[in-house]
């Protein structure tokens, strides 16, 4: 495999170190989830960072098929807590079960002005990439005429 960027190390050791010592801001971005099909079509965005009060559906693991509202985003442990997904401890106390954000799909977004601006920004960058690297019919014809 060829290294694609000189700015980023391809070393496993350095990648793991950066991942596990990541700051809270970086963890926020890494802890993103996909949007469901309806939201993806509506906003033209594939994934966004999960936040409290989003509604999600679990698509992998023991709790597959369960839905609920995000109660907490526990960045320190890389998990999210979803309402009604709990387990009972030996001393009969109930605790939230941590679910990895990559194993859920966001079904309803909690929108505020920052979230709206993020969606607009991501949609704008996707639109800018649409024509990237593509030749128009006129350009193709001009290239063939050069020979």
């Amino acid at each position: 495999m060829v290294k694609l960027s000189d700015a980023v190390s391809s070393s496993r050791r350095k990648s793991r170190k950066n991942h596990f010592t990541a700051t809270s801001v970086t963890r926020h971005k890494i802890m993103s989830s996909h949007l469901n099909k309806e939201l993806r079509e509506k906003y033209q965005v594939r994934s966004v960072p999960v936040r409290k009060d989003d509604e999600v559906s679990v698509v992998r693991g023991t709790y597959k098929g369960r839905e609920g509202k995000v109660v907490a985003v526990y960045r320190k442990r890389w998990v999210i807590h979803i309402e009604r997904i709990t387990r009972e401890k030996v001393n009969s106390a109930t605790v939230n079960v941590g679910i990895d954000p990559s194993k859920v799909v966001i079904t309803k977004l909690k929108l505020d002005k920052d979230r709206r601006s993020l969606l607009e920004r991501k949609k704008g960058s996707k639109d800018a990439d649409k024509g990237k690297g593509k030749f128009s019919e006129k350009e193709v014809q001009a290239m063939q005429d050069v020979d």
Side-chain angles (χ1 to χ4, degrees), residues 22-139:
T23 60
S24 181
V25 175
T26 311
R27 286 175 188 238
H28 167 68
K29 195 162 187 177
I30 293 170
M31 292 176 68
S32 295
S33 292
H34 286 299
L35 300 178
N36 69 356
K37 284 198 173 94
E38 293 82 46
L39 292 175
R40 197 181 309 166
E41 287 168 12
K42 183 177 179 183
Y43 298 111
Q44 274 95 47
V45 172
R46 182 175 291 276
S47 66
V48 292
V50 180
R51 72 167 280 182
K52 187 178 173 182
D53 295 331
D54 281 346
E55 288 183 23
V56 297
S57 174
V58 182
V59 291
R60 289 278 182 280
T62 311
Y63 300 99
K64 181 177 180 177
R66 301 274 290 276
E67 294 184 22
K69 190 179 275 192
V70 176
V71 177
V73 179
Y74 202 156
R75 292 185 195 166
K76 189 173 184 180
R77 290 196 177 168
W78 298 97
V79 295
I80 59 174
H81 292 155
I82 302 168
E83 86 185 348
R84 295 190 307 275
I85 298 184
T86 56
R87 63 184 291 269
E88 202 168 290
K89 287 170 62 170
V90 177
N91 66 358
S92 72
T94 58
V95 291
N96 288 313
V97 175
I99 307 283
D100 193 291
S102 67
K103 307 301 178 197
V104 302
V105 169
I106 299 172
T107 54
K108 189 174 179 199
L109 289 167
K110 178 171 193 285
L111 290 173
D112 58 3
K113 71 177 175 56
D114 293 330
R115 209 84 182 283
R116 286 186 214 285
S117 67
L118 171 84
L119 290 168
E120 286 300 314
R121 246 188 357 258
K122 286 188 88 168
K123 182 182 177 184
S125 68
K126 191 173 183 179
D127 291 342
D129 286 345
K130 271 232 184 337
K132 191 176 177 183
K134 302 279 191 270
F135 292 115
S136 67
E137 288 294 323
K138 195 188 296 181
E139 289 171 323

